[in-house]
Short mmCIF file of all heavy atoms in Angstrom, two decimals:
data_model
loop_
_atom_site.label_atom_id
_atom_site.label_comp_id
_atom_site.label_asym_id
_atom_site.label_seq_id
_atom_site.Cartn_x
_atom_site.Cartn_y
_atom_site.Cartn_z
N VAL A 18 -14.35 0.27 9.60
CA VAL A 18 -13.37 1.31 9.90
C VAL A 18 -12.13 1.03 9.07
O VAL A 18 -11.88 -0.10 8.66
CB VAL A 18 -13.00 1.33 11.40
CG1 VAL A 18 -14.21 1.64 12.27
CG2 VAL A 18 -12.34 0.04 11.83
N THR A 19 -11.36 2.08 8.83
CA THR A 19 -10.07 1.93 8.16
C THR A 19 -8.98 2.11 9.20
O THR A 19 -8.95 3.12 9.90
CB THR A 19 -9.90 2.94 7.03
OG1 THR A 19 -10.93 2.73 6.05
CG2 THR A 19 -8.54 2.78 6.35
N THR A 20 -8.11 1.13 9.30
CA THR A 20 -7.07 1.17 10.32
C THR A 20 -6.06 2.28 10.03
O THR A 20 -5.88 2.69 8.88
CB THR A 20 -6.34 -0.18 10.43
OG1 THR A 20 -5.72 -0.48 9.17
CG2 THR A 20 -7.32 -1.27 10.79
N ARG A 21 -5.40 2.73 11.07
CA ARG A 21 -4.38 3.78 10.91
C ARG A 21 -3.15 3.23 10.18
O ARG A 21 -2.84 2.04 10.29
CB ARG A 21 -3.92 4.27 12.27
CG ARG A 21 -4.92 5.10 13.03
CD ARG A 21 -4.31 5.49 14.36
NE ARG A 21 -5.29 6.15 15.21
CZ ARG A 21 -5.13 6.34 16.51
NH1 ARG A 21 -4.02 5.91 17.10
NH2 ARG A 21 -6.07 6.94 17.22
N PRO A 22 -2.44 4.10 9.49
CA PRO A 22 -1.13 3.69 8.96
C PRO A 22 -0.25 3.18 10.09
O PRO A 22 -0.31 3.69 11.21
CB PRO A 22 -0.57 4.98 8.37
CG PRO A 22 -1.78 5.79 8.02
CD PRO A 22 -2.78 5.49 9.11
N CYS A 23 0.52 2.14 9.82
CA CYS A 23 1.33 1.54 10.87
C CYS A 23 2.64 1.01 10.29
O CYS A 23 2.82 0.96 9.06
CB CYS A 23 0.56 0.41 11.56
SG CYS A 23 0.10 -0.95 10.46
N HIS A 24 3.54 0.61 11.17
CA HIS A 24 4.84 0.09 10.74
C HIS A 24 4.73 -1.42 10.57
O HIS A 24 4.34 -2.13 11.50
CB HIS A 24 5.91 0.41 11.78
CG HIS A 24 7.26 -0.14 11.43
ND1 HIS A 24 8.11 0.49 10.54
CD2 HIS A 24 7.90 -1.27 11.82
CE1 HIS A 24 9.22 -0.22 10.42
NE2 HIS A 24 9.12 -1.29 11.19
N VAL A 25 5.07 -1.91 9.36
CA VAL A 25 5.05 -3.35 9.07
C VAL A 25 6.37 -3.73 8.43
O VAL A 25 6.85 -3.05 7.51
CB VAL A 25 3.89 -3.72 8.12
CG1 VAL A 25 3.91 -5.21 7.79
CG2 VAL A 25 2.55 -3.35 8.74
N LYS A 26 6.97 -4.83 8.90
CA LYS A 26 8.25 -5.30 8.36
C LYS A 26 8.19 -6.80 8.15
O LYS A 26 7.86 -7.55 9.06
CB LYS A 26 9.39 -4.96 9.31
CG LYS A 26 10.76 -5.39 8.81
CD LYS A 26 11.85 -5.04 9.82
CE LYS A 26 13.22 -5.50 9.34
NZ LYS A 26 14.29 -5.17 10.34
N ARG A 27 8.51 -7.23 6.92
CA ARG A 27 8.55 -8.66 6.64
C ARG A 27 9.82 -9.24 7.26
O ARG A 27 10.92 -8.75 7.04
CB ARG A 27 8.54 -8.89 5.13
CG ARG A 27 8.54 -10.35 4.71
CD ARG A 27 8.22 -10.50 3.24
NE ARG A 27 8.79 -9.42 2.45
CZ ARG A 27 8.34 -9.07 1.25
NH1 ARG A 27 7.31 -9.68 0.72
NH2 ARG A 27 8.91 -8.08 0.59
N ILE A 28 9.68 -10.32 8.04
CA ILE A 28 10.84 -10.93 8.69
C ILE A 28 10.97 -12.41 8.35
O ILE A 28 11.80 -13.12 8.91
CB ILE A 28 10.77 -10.74 10.23
CG1 ILE A 28 9.47 -11.30 10.79
CG2 ILE A 28 10.93 -9.29 10.60
CD1 ILE A 28 9.38 -11.22 12.31
N GLY A 29 10.15 -12.88 7.42
CA GLY A 29 10.21 -14.26 6.96
C GLY A 29 9.25 -14.44 5.81
O GLY A 29 8.49 -13.54 5.46
N GLU A 30 9.28 -15.60 5.19
CA GLU A 30 8.41 -15.85 4.04
C GLU A 30 6.94 -15.66 4.40
O GLU A 30 6.18 -15.09 3.62
CB GLU A 30 8.62 -17.28 3.52
CG GLU A 30 7.77 -17.61 2.30
CD GLU A 30 7.97 -19.04 1.83
OE1 GLU A 30 8.81 -19.75 2.42
OE2 GLU A 30 7.26 -19.46 0.89
N LYS A 31 6.55 -16.11 5.60
CA LYS A 31 5.17 -15.99 6.04
C LYS A 31 5.05 -15.25 7.37
O LYS A 31 4.02 -15.35 8.04
CB LYS A 31 4.55 -17.39 6.19
CG LYS A 31 4.53 -18.21 4.90
CD LYS A 31 3.91 -19.58 5.15
CE LYS A 31 3.91 -20.43 3.88
NZ LYS A 31 3.32 -21.77 4.13
N LYS A 32 6.06 -14.50 7.75
CA LYS A 32 6.10 -13.86 9.06
C LYS A 32 6.43 -12.38 8.93
O LYS A 32 7.26 -11.99 8.11
CB LYS A 32 7.12 -14.55 9.97
CG LYS A 32 7.17 -14.03 11.38
CD LYS A 32 8.21 -14.77 12.22
CE LYS A 32 7.81 -16.21 12.46
NZ LYS A 32 8.74 -16.88 13.41
N PHE A 33 5.76 -11.55 9.75
CA PHE A 33 6.04 -10.12 9.74
C PHE A 33 5.87 -9.55 11.15
O PHE A 33 5.23 -10.16 12.01
CB PHE A 33 5.12 -9.37 8.76
CG PHE A 33 3.65 -9.41 9.10
CD1 PHE A 33 3.05 -8.38 9.82
CD2 PHE A 33 2.85 -10.47 8.69
CE1 PHE A 33 1.69 -8.40 10.13
CE2 PHE A 33 1.49 -10.51 9.00
CZ PHE A 33 0.91 -9.46 9.72
N SER A 34 6.46 -8.38 11.37
CA SER A 34 6.23 -7.63 12.61
C SER A 34 5.36 -6.44 12.30
O SER A 34 5.40 -5.89 11.19
CB SER A 34 7.56 -7.17 13.22
OG SER A 34 8.20 -6.22 12.38
N ILE A 35 4.55 -6.04 13.26
CA ILE A 35 3.65 -4.90 13.07
C ILE A 35 3.56 -4.12 14.38
O ILE A 35 3.49 -4.71 15.46
CB ILE A 35 2.25 -5.37 12.60
CG1 ILE A 35 1.31 -4.17 12.37
CG2 ILE A 35 1.63 -6.37 13.56
CD1 ILE A 35 0.01 -4.55 11.66
N ILE A 36 3.59 -2.79 14.26
CA ILE A 36 3.47 -1.91 15.42
C ILE A 36 2.21 -1.09 15.26
O ILE A 36 2.07 -0.32 14.31
CB ILE A 36 4.69 -0.98 15.55
CG1 ILE A 36 5.97 -1.81 15.71
CG2 ILE A 36 4.52 -0.04 16.75
CD1 ILE A 36 7.24 -0.99 15.71
N LEU A 37 1.26 -1.27 16.18
CA LEU A 37 -0.02 -0.57 16.14
C LEU A 37 -0.05 0.55 17.18
O LEU A 37 0.60 0.47 18.22
CB LEU A 37 -1.17 -1.52 16.43
CG LEU A 37 -1.37 -2.71 15.49
CD1 LEU A 37 -2.57 -3.52 15.95
CD2 LEU A 37 -1.54 -2.26 14.05
N THR A 38 -0.85 1.57 16.89
CA THR A 38 -1.13 2.62 17.88
C THR A 38 -2.63 2.73 18.10
O THR A 38 -3.14 3.79 18.47
CB THR A 38 -0.56 3.98 17.42
OG1 THR A 38 -1.09 4.29 16.13
CG2 THR A 38 0.96 3.95 17.38
N GLU A 39 -3.34 1.64 17.84
CA GLU A 39 -4.77 1.56 18.11
C GLU A 39 -5.07 0.12 18.50
O GLU A 39 -4.19 -0.75 18.38
CB GLU A 39 -5.59 1.99 16.90
CG GLU A 39 -5.33 1.18 15.65
CD GLU A 39 -6.05 1.71 14.42
OE1 GLU A 39 -7.05 2.42 14.59
OE2 GLU A 39 -5.61 1.40 13.30
N GLY A 40 -6.28 -0.13 18.96
CA GLY A 40 -6.55 -1.46 19.47
C GLY A 40 -7.95 -1.96 19.22
O GLY A 40 -8.67 -2.30 20.15
N HIS A 41 -8.36 -2.02 17.94
CA HIS A 41 -9.65 -2.62 17.64
C HIS A 41 -9.63 -4.11 17.97
O HIS A 41 -8.58 -4.76 17.88
CB HIS A 41 -9.99 -2.44 16.16
CG HIS A 41 -10.15 -1.01 15.74
ND1 HIS A 41 -11.09 -0.17 16.30
CD2 HIS A 41 -9.48 -0.27 14.80
CE1 HIS A 41 -11.00 1.02 15.74
NE2 HIS A 41 -10.03 0.98 14.83
N ASN A 42 -10.78 -4.65 18.32
CA ASN A 42 -10.88 -6.05 18.68
C ASN A 42 -10.38 -6.94 17.54
O ASN A 42 -10.84 -6.82 16.41
CB ASN A 42 -12.34 -6.39 19.02
CG ASN A 42 -12.51 -7.80 19.51
OD1 ASN A 42 -11.64 -8.36 20.16
ND2 ASN A 42 -13.66 -8.40 19.19
N ARG A 43 -9.42 -7.83 17.86
CA ARG A 43 -8.84 -8.76 16.88
C ARG A 43 -8.41 -8.04 15.60
O ARG A 43 -8.58 -8.55 14.48
CB ARG A 43 -9.83 -9.89 16.59
CG ARG A 43 -10.19 -10.71 17.83
CD ARG A 43 -11.25 -11.76 17.55
NE ARG A 43 -10.76 -12.85 16.73
CZ ARG A 43 -10.13 -13.93 17.19
NH1 ARG A 43 -9.90 -14.05 18.50
NH2 ARG A 43 -9.72 -14.88 16.39
N GLN A 44 -7.83 -6.88 15.78
CA GLN A 44 -7.53 -6.00 14.64
C GLN A 44 -6.61 -6.65 13.60
O GLN A 44 -6.89 -6.60 12.40
CB GLN A 44 -6.91 -4.69 15.12
CG GLN A 44 -6.53 -3.75 13.98
CD GLN A 44 -6.08 -2.39 14.45
OE1 GLN A 44 -6.46 -1.95 15.52
NE2 GLN A 44 -5.27 -1.72 13.66
N ILE A 45 -5.51 -7.22 14.05
CA ILE A 45 -4.54 -7.77 13.09
C ILE A 45 -5.16 -8.94 12.32
O ILE A 45 -4.98 -9.05 11.10
CB ILE A 45 -3.26 -8.21 13.82
CG1 ILE A 45 -2.59 -7.00 14.47
CG2 ILE A 45 -2.30 -8.90 12.86
CD1 ILE A 45 -1.43 -7.34 15.38
N ARG A 46 -5.90 -9.78 13.00
CA ARG A 46 -6.55 -10.89 12.33
C ARG A 46 -7.56 -10.40 11.29
O ARG A 46 -7.68 -10.96 10.19
CB ARG A 46 -7.25 -11.80 13.35
CG ARG A 46 -6.29 -12.46 14.34
CD ARG A 46 -7.02 -13.29 15.37
NE ARG A 46 -6.12 -13.76 16.41
CZ ARG A 46 -5.35 -14.84 16.32
NH1 ARG A 46 -5.42 -15.58 15.22
NH2 ARG A 46 -4.56 -15.20 17.30
N ARG A 47 -8.30 -9.34 11.64
CA ARG A 47 -9.28 -8.79 10.71
C ARG A 47 -8.58 -8.14 9.50
O ARG A 47 -9.06 -8.25 8.36
CB ARG A 47 -10.16 -7.76 11.42
CG ARG A 47 -11.06 -8.34 12.49
CD ARG A 47 -11.80 -7.21 13.23
NE ARG A 47 -12.51 -7.68 14.41
CZ ARG A 47 -13.75 -8.13 14.44
NH1 ARG A 47 -14.44 -8.19 13.31
NH2 ARG A 47 -14.31 -8.52 15.57
N MET A 48 -7.46 -7.45 9.76
CA MET A 48 -6.71 -6.83 8.66
C MET A 48 -6.21 -7.89 7.69
O MET A 48 -6.34 -7.74 6.46
CB MET A 48 -5.53 -6.03 9.22
CG MET A 48 -5.92 -4.80 10.02
SD MET A 48 -4.50 -4.05 10.87
CE MET A 48 -3.58 -3.34 9.49
N CYS A 49 -5.64 -8.96 8.22
CA CYS A 49 -5.12 -10.02 7.36
C CYS A 49 -6.24 -10.69 6.58
O CYS A 49 -6.11 -10.96 5.37
CB CYS A 49 -4.36 -11.05 8.20
SG CYS A 49 -2.79 -10.45 8.89
N ARG A 50 -7.35 -10.96 7.27
CA ARG A 50 -8.48 -11.62 6.60
C ARG A 50 -9.01 -10.77 5.45
O ARG A 50 -9.38 -11.30 4.39
CB ARG A 50 -9.58 -11.92 7.60
CG ARG A 50 -10.73 -12.73 7.01
CD ARG A 50 -11.69 -13.27 8.06
NE ARG A 50 -12.40 -12.19 8.75
CZ ARG A 50 -12.36 -12.00 10.05
NH1 ARG A 50 -11.61 -12.77 10.81
NH2 ARG A 50 -13.05 -11.03 10.60
N ALA A 51 -9.06 -9.44 5.65
CA ALA A 51 -9.54 -8.54 4.60
C ALA A 51 -8.66 -8.59 3.36
O ALA A 51 -9.12 -8.29 2.25
CB ALA A 51 -9.63 -7.11 5.13
N LEU A 52 -7.39 -8.99 3.54
CA LEU A 52 -6.46 -9.06 2.41
C LEU A 52 -6.25 -10.49 1.92
O LEU A 52 -5.34 -10.75 1.12
CB LEU A 52 -5.11 -8.43 2.82
CG LEU A 52 -5.16 -6.95 3.21
CD1 LEU A 52 -3.79 -6.47 3.65
CD2 LEU A 52 -5.69 -6.10 2.05
N GLY A 53 -7.10 -11.42 2.41
CA GLY A 53 -7.04 -12.78 1.92
C GLY A 53 -6.05 -13.68 2.63
O GLY A 53 -5.68 -14.74 2.10
N TYR A 54 -5.63 -13.30 3.82
CA TYR A 54 -4.67 -14.08 4.60
C TYR A 54 -5.32 -14.56 5.88
O TYR A 54 -6.26 -13.96 6.39
CB TYR A 54 -3.43 -13.26 4.95
CG TYR A 54 -2.49 -13.02 3.79
CD1 TYR A 54 -2.82 -12.13 2.76
CD2 TYR A 54 -1.26 -13.67 3.73
CE1 TYR A 54 -1.96 -11.90 1.70
CE2 TYR A 54 -0.39 -13.45 2.67
CZ TYR A 54 -0.74 -12.57 1.66
OH TYR A 54 0.13 -12.35 0.63
N HIS A 55 -4.77 -15.65 6.43
CA HIS A 55 -5.24 -16.19 7.70
C HIS A 55 -4.08 -16.23 8.69
O HIS A 55 -3.00 -16.74 8.36
CB HIS A 55 -5.81 -17.60 7.50
CG HIS A 55 -6.16 -18.29 8.78
ND1 HIS A 55 -7.24 -17.92 9.56
CD2 HIS A 55 -5.55 -19.33 9.44
CE1 HIS A 55 -7.28 -18.70 10.63
NE2 HIS A 55 -6.28 -19.56 10.59
N VAL A 56 -4.29 -15.68 9.87
CA VAL A 56 -3.25 -15.67 10.90
C VAL A 56 -3.16 -17.05 11.54
O VAL A 56 -4.16 -17.59 12.02
CB VAL A 56 -3.54 -14.61 11.97
CG1 VAL A 56 -2.56 -14.74 13.15
CG2 VAL A 56 -3.45 -13.21 11.38
N THR A 57 -1.95 -17.61 11.57
CA THR A 57 -1.74 -18.91 12.21
C THR A 57 -1.10 -18.77 13.59
O THR A 57 -1.23 -19.67 14.43
CB THR A 57 -0.87 -19.82 11.33
OG1 THR A 57 0.40 -19.19 11.08
CG2 THR A 57 -1.56 -20.10 10.00
N SER A 58 -0.41 -17.67 13.84
CA SER A 58 0.10 -17.39 15.19
C SER A 58 0.30 -15.88 15.34
O SER A 58 0.65 -15.19 14.37
CB SER A 58 1.40 -18.13 15.47
OG SER A 58 2.48 -17.58 14.75
N LEU A 59 0.08 -15.40 16.55
CA LEU A 59 0.20 -13.96 16.83
C LEU A 59 0.72 -13.80 18.25
O LEU A 59 0.12 -14.31 19.20
CB LEU A 59 -1.17 -13.28 16.67
CG LEU A 59 -1.23 -11.76 16.69
CD1 LEU A 59 -2.47 -11.26 15.95
CD2 LEU A 59 -1.24 -11.21 18.11
N THR A 60 1.83 -13.09 18.38
CA THR A 60 2.46 -12.89 19.69
C THR A 60 2.77 -11.42 19.90
O THR A 60 3.39 -10.78 19.04
CB THR A 60 3.78 -13.69 19.80
OG1 THR A 60 3.52 -15.07 19.60
CG2 THR A 60 4.44 -13.48 21.16
N ARG A 61 2.32 -10.87 21.03
CA ARG A 61 2.70 -9.50 21.38
C ARG A 61 4.05 -9.54 22.07
O ARG A 61 4.23 -10.25 23.06
CB ARG A 61 1.66 -8.86 22.29
CG ARG A 61 1.99 -7.40 22.61
CD ARG A 61 0.77 -6.63 23.10
NE ARG A 61 0.20 -7.16 24.31
CZ ARG A 61 -1.03 -6.89 24.75
NH1 ARG A 61 -1.83 -6.11 24.04
NH2 ARG A 61 -1.49 -7.41 25.88
N VAL A 62 5.00 -8.75 21.54
CA VAL A 62 6.35 -8.75 22.08
C VAL A 62 6.71 -7.46 22.80
O VAL A 62 7.72 -7.39 23.50
CB VAL A 62 7.39 -9.03 20.98
CG1 VAL A 62 7.20 -10.44 20.41
CG2 VAL A 62 7.31 -7.99 19.86
N ARG A 63 5.88 -6.43 22.60
CA ARG A 63 6.16 -5.15 23.27
C ARG A 63 4.86 -4.41 23.55
O ARG A 63 3.95 -4.41 22.71
CB ARG A 63 7.09 -4.28 22.42
CG ARG A 63 7.43 -2.93 23.07
CD ARG A 63 8.57 -2.24 22.33
NE ARG A 63 8.22 -1.87 20.98
CZ ARG A 63 7.65 -0.71 20.65
NH1 ARG A 63 7.33 0.18 21.59
NH2 ARG A 63 7.38 -0.44 19.38
N LEU A 64 4.80 -3.76 24.70
CA LEU A 64 3.70 -2.88 25.08
C LEU A 64 4.33 -1.62 25.66
O LEU A 64 4.87 -1.65 26.76
CB LEU A 64 2.79 -3.55 26.10
CG LEU A 64 1.65 -2.72 26.68
CD1 LEU A 64 0.67 -2.32 25.58
CD2 LEU A 64 0.92 -3.50 27.77
N MET A 65 4.33 -0.53 24.87
CA MET A 65 4.99 0.70 25.26
C MET A 65 6.46 0.41 25.57
O MET A 65 7.17 -0.09 24.70
CB MET A 65 4.24 1.35 26.42
CG MET A 65 2.81 1.77 26.05
SD MET A 65 1.81 2.38 27.41
CE MET A 65 2.69 3.85 27.91
#
């Protein structure tokens, strides 16, 4: 599947924020892996 366009903001050399409006299983980790990156930490800070 191709993920929906979303809001992404770089907030550090290796850190970014992302706002999703969909919820595929382990979506962010899969997106990063597809682009050659590995997630080392992931925290949800907002839900609606």
Side-chain angles (χ1 to χ4, degrees):
V18 298
T19 299
T20 60
R21 289 179 187 165
C23 61
H24 178 81
V25 178
K26 181 181 179 181
R27 182 168 36 202
I28 56 177
E30 181 182 356
K31 300 179 181 180
K32 184 180 292 187
F33 65 95
S34 66
I35 181 169
I36 300 174
L37 300 180
T38 56
E39 59 186 338
H41 297 300
N42 185 33
R43 300 176 70 86
Q44 177 173 335
I45 297 172
R46 297 177 188 276
R47 293 174 189 272
M48 293 171 72
C49 290
R50 186 169 66 239
L52 298 178
Y54 286 73
H55 173 71
V56 172
T57 58
S58 72
L59 190 156
T60 301
R61 183 160 61 198
V62 296
R63 180 168 65 88
L64 176 63
M65 297 174 63

